Amino acid sequence: MAASREIPHGANGGTALDCDAIIIGAGMSGMYQLIRLRELGMHVRVFEAGTGVGGTWYWNRYPGARFDSESYSYGYSFSKELLEEWDWSEHFAGQPETLRYLNLVADKFDLRRDIQFRSRVTAATYQEETRSWNVTLENGDHFRTRFLITAIGPLSTPTLPRIEGIDTFAGKSFHTARWPHEPVDFADQRVAVIGTGATGVQTIQTIAGSVGRLTVFQRTPNWCAPLHNGKIDRETQRKIRAAYPEMFRRCQETFACFLHTPDPRGAFEVTDQEREAFYEKLYAERGFGIWQGNFRDILTDRKANATISDFVARKIRQRVTDQKVAEKLIPRNHGFGTRRLPLETFYYEVYNQNNVELVDITETPIERITPDGIKTGDREYPFDIIIYATGFDAITGSFDRIDLRGAGGVRLKDKWQPGPQTFLGVMVDGFPNMMMLMGPHTALGNIPRSIEYNVDWVSGLIRHARENNLTRVEATAAGVASWTDHVKALGGGLLSNEVDSWMTGINSNVEGKQVRIIARYSGSAPAYRARCDEVALRGYDELALA
Ligand SMILES: Cc1cc2nc3c(=O)[nH]c(=O)nc-3n(C[C@H](O)[C@H](O)[C@H](O)COP(=O)(O)OP(=O)(O)OC[C@H]3O[C@@H](n4cnc5c(N)ncnc54)[C@H](O)[C@@H]3O)c2cc1C
């Protein structure tokens, strides 16, 4: 076991620590947090499991991986110089471009010198005597720090399906979030895709034209809507750049930090013709408008929701030639927008190709993976490549994989066994000096906007602690109970909370994740920020400070 590396000048509050803060994860959250803590003059270390920066955009290299947020609304807003320097080439940029962007950010702000790659954090234990965290890496190294900041991603722990024989397959197999860095050749290959969530949809529509045969194994069809991506020409780029301040201001005002925000009208406050025309308009528009900019009640009122579900079902029937296949692609167990909406580009038309087959595994379940392919209830399919687009152990999954122990050795996993409990989605009682970025119970939405807010809030709290010689910052049990109750109350009445999905903590491939929880804050982002601002403005008097 390696010895702790003493860096006395990093000490804060009289204790020899290795650094003032440790950030786990070098995605967009961890990168920006590093920038902000450096500005406070702190000595910071970042530990990242991957070999490069970018998080989501480092790992998800599958064919067709791209934004569903408008590119320009997704990038960082904190640096005017960076905004001037970077041009997005498409309204919804692909993964390679976003990874290039995040590498530019790392270069520009010289981030890599404080990031240790290939360094998975396996445990972190709070030490009361020194008011510090002892962080352990997979290789056994230890580091001591005053503050511990988790930036481990809401969607960063991939899960494979629990199917017998998965290790026996003799061909190539990939999880979409662990895609190889080298190109995969699909020519003449017999390819299976398991999973039809947002990632499955992007993969399927992208590879369908280049594979020999494609077989899609679908358990739950998802409602999808057109992305309407397009290149950004010079003139549009100029306009986007000029409009940045106004655009970011708008993102601050909308419900979930997207450019789109709910229409104030209810679905039945207009005539049938007006409603149909509105849906046609939204279906023809770019991005999440049909989900985030729809009538205010489609996600809360069953009848309102049925009107948009019926509309999109009709579109699917129009776009898919074989009506039996179309019916299989129409969701029956949830309404439009009550699960994360995949945006697509000619996804439905893929099923009109002769080389593509859709297998509904609720009718013919997968029995096992064999060395040659996949065996369902009624036949065996031979494959050269199997792609698992089976998603993530979302929101709490990355926390569960670190042995996080707070004061008195309490495990976070045990504390959260009934569901996450947090203060503002940032802190947990019994876990002093630990702050979470994009953890449970915080506002997500168009995530970089939420990242920038959360990082600034956490940085403000740490600045306050350092300026006031505070070495212990903790949420109170009462504060946690009250925020958790608030988050649960906000979830009441939302149709999405009546549906099994990663947003309600369900993952049939993970033991113990079969009971719905409220994992997300579902109020408005402005209301979230107002509450956090209030805590800061009152000198953090709702926290236990010492
Ligand atoms: C395919 C895909 C498309 C998406 N598209 C959008 C979109 O269009 N709009 C949007 O708003 N959001 C989107 N998201 C969500 C996306 O995750 C966020 O936008 C954002 O990138 C999250 O950044 P992050 O830094 O918080 O987490 P991540 O980017 O997930 O980074 C977390 C990092 O922490 C590291 N890590 C985790 N655990 C450990 C550990 N124990 N030790 C060391 N390192 C660890 C991981 O390796 C990872 O690099 C998408 C997600 C996916 C998967």
Side-chain angles (χ1 to χ4, degrees):
M1 199 169 283
S4 177
R5 291 176 213 167
E6 298 286 315
I7 305 175
H9 71 261
N12 179 19
T15 313
L17 302 173
D18 298 312
C19 47
D20 301 317
I22 284 178
I23 300 168
I24 316 176
M28 285 193 80
S29 297
M31 291 167 71
Y32 181 49
Q33 185 68 77
L34 172 59
I35 292 171
R36 282 294 186 238
L37 293 189
R38 271 189 191 164
E39 287 169 0
L40 298 181
M42 291 172 69
H43 179 67
V44 185
R45 294 297 296 157
V46 182
F47 295 114
E48 164 56 54
T51 62
V53 298
T56 287
W57 307 104
Y58 165 87
W59 292 108
N60 288 268
R61 295 165 191 253
Y62 61 85
R66 68 174 62 252
F67 288 143
D68 286 331
S69 298
E70 284 76 2
S71 312
Y72 26 89
S73 78
Y74 187 97
Y76 288 117
S77 73
F78 71 90
S79 162
K80 203 161 175 255
E81 218 180 278
L82 179 64
L83 289 168
E84 288 295 329
E85 204 170 315
W86 180 261
D87 287 344
W88 293 103
S89 72
E90 292 179 281
H91 288 279
F92 303 91
Q95 171 272 334
E97 183 169 341
T98 307
L99 187 57
R100 276 200 303 281
Y101 166 75
L102 292 172
N103 273 292
L104 170 88
V105 176
D107 292 339
K108 189 174 171 63
F109 296 93
D110 190 16
L111 299 185
R112 286 190 192 79
R113 69 181 152 89
D114 288 329
I115 305 177
Q116 190 170 313
F117 296 107
R118 295 187 178 82
S119 301
R120 180 170 292 283
V121 171
T122 52
T125 308
Y126 179 69
Q127 315 284 329
E128 192 62 79
E129 321 76 64
T130 50
R131 297 181 172 182
S132 66
W133 282 87
N134 192 352
V135 172
T136 308
L137 304 187
E138 206 166 27
N139 67 4
D141 279 1
H142 295 287
F143 296 85
R144 283 192 300 156
T145 177
R146 170 77 65 226
F147 295 105
L148 176 67
I149 299 169
T150 64
I152 52 185
L155 298 168
S156 67
T157 299
T159 52
L160 284 168
R162 294 197 274 190
I163 308 175
E164 219 182 299
I166 203 160
D167 295 326
T168 65
F169 183 58
K172 293 178 186 155
S173 60
F174 312 105
H175 189 287
T176 45
R178 290 294 177 269
W179 200 262
H181 290 204
E182 309 74 41
V184 174
D185 185 7
F186 291 108
D188 302 323
Q189 300 289 291
R190 296 162 303 175
V191 181
V193 176
I194 301 180
T196 52
T199 287
V201 166
Q202 290 185 334
T203 307
I204 291 161
Q205 68 195 12
T206 307
I207 65 172
S210 56
V211 296
R213 279 204 64 74
L214 175 63
T215 310
V216 176
F217 291 87
Q218 171 187 275
R219 182 181 57 191
T220 311
N222 279 289
W223 297 102
C224 308
L227 175 68
H228 296 300
N229 195 11
K231 298 265 178 237
I232 299 177
D233 60 28
R234 240 171 224 278
E235 179 52 15
T236 312
Q237 183 59 59
R238 198 191 54 74
K239 285 187 187 150
I240 289 171
R241 188 163 282 137
Y244 267 138
E246 193 195 317
M247 189 199 70
F248 287 125
R249 199 166 41 249
R250 177 166 169 75
C251 290
Q252 293 301 302
E253 287 164 5
T254 59
F255 192 87
C257 308
F258 288 103
L259 290 174
H260 319 274
T261 204
D263 189 290
R265 298 170 300 170
F268 297 108
E269 289 167 15
V270 297
T271 65
D272 290 355
Q273 289 80 359
E274 282 167 337
R275 190 183 319 113
E276 185 76 5
F278 185 52
Y279 289 161
E280 284 290 357
K281 174 178 163 295
L282 292 174
Y283 201 75
E285 279 175 2
R286 240 178 232 132
F288 273 149
I290 195 162
W291 187 30
Q292 297 291 326
N294 213 315
F295 292 119
R296 65 171 154 73
D297 52 359
I298 62 147
L299 301 179
T300 51
D301 180 301
R302 238 169 272 283
K303 285 188 179 150
N305 185 273
T307 63
I308 181 67
S309 299
D310 288 348
F311 174 86
V312 179
R314 274 184 276 133
K315 290 287 180 195
I316 297 172
R317 290 188 186 105
Q318 283 162 17
R319 292 174 58 184
V320 178
T321 316
D322 181 336
Q323 288 305 294
K324 275 201 204 123
V325 176
E327 293 309 315
K328 284 186 189 172
L329 289 165
I330 296 172
R332 311 282 166 194
N333 65 355
H334 66 283
F336 178 88
T338 60
R339 291 162 63 110
R340 203 285 202 179
L341 183 78
L343 292 179
E344 49 85 22
T345 305
F346 301 122
Y347 171 66
Y348 290 110
E349 286 72 9
V350 161
Y351 295 98
N352 300 336
Q353 289 180 209
N354 291 330
N355 66 337
V356 177
E357 183 181 357
L358 178 67
V359 177
D360 179 346
I361 62 169
T362 61
E363 285 173 6
T364 50
I366 296 178
E367 282 183 357
R368 58 179 295 122
I369 310 281
T370 67
D372 296 328
I374 295 178
K375 184 168 177 347
T376 64
D378 66 345
R379 59 180 272 210
E380 185 161 354
Y381 297 79
F383 291 115
D384 303 303
I385 299 175
I386 299 178
I387 299 174
Y388 296 101
T390 44
F392 302 92
D393 185 357
I395 302 189
T396 51
S398 300
F399 288 92
D400 290 347
R401 280 156 185 79
I402 302 174
D403 187 7
L404 276 162
R405 289 173 192 254
V410 173
R411 289 173 71 210
L412 187 66
K413 196 171 175 177
D414 293 338
K415 190 172 172 69
W416 282 1
Q417 203 278 328
Q421 300 153 56
T422 77
F423 182 60
L424 307 176
V426 178
M427 300 177 79
V428 183
D429 59 311
F431 291 76
N433 297 351
M434 182 182 97
M435 289 94 176
M436 303 176 291
L437 300 172
M438 299 303 101
H441 292 181
T442 190
L444 293 173
N446 185 22
I447 290 183
R449 304 283 65 78
S450 303
I451 289 174
E452 286 187 333
Y453 180 81
N454 269 52
V455 165
D456 288 345
W457 194 89
V458 164
S459 308
L461 172 59
I462 292 179
R463 185 197 301 113
H464 178 83
R466 287 166 64 84
E467 285 174 358
N468 293 282
N469 285 324
L470 303 167
T471 49
R472 197 179 189 285
V473 177
E474 188 188 1
T476 65
V480 167
S482 148
W483 182 253
T484 304
D485 286 348
H486 176 59
V487 169
K488 286 184 182 165
L490 286 169
L494 273 183
L495 298 176
S496 57
N497 282 335
E498 299 169 12
V499 172
D500 287 352
S501 78
W502 66 259
M503 300 197 290
T504 48
I506 298 288
N507 187 326
S508 60
N509 299 317
V510 180
E511 216 177 306
K513 299 244 164 146
Q514 278 72 46
V515 178
R516 281 186 209 146
I517 54 167
I518 305 271
R520 289 178 315 143
Y521 168 87
S522 46
S524 81
Y528 173 79
R529 287 191 298 265
R531 178 71 181 102
C532 294
D533 286 349
E534 181 190 35
V535 173
L537 279 170
R538 294 216 320 244
Y540 307 96
D541 65 357
E542 293 179 55
L543 299 175
L545 305 173

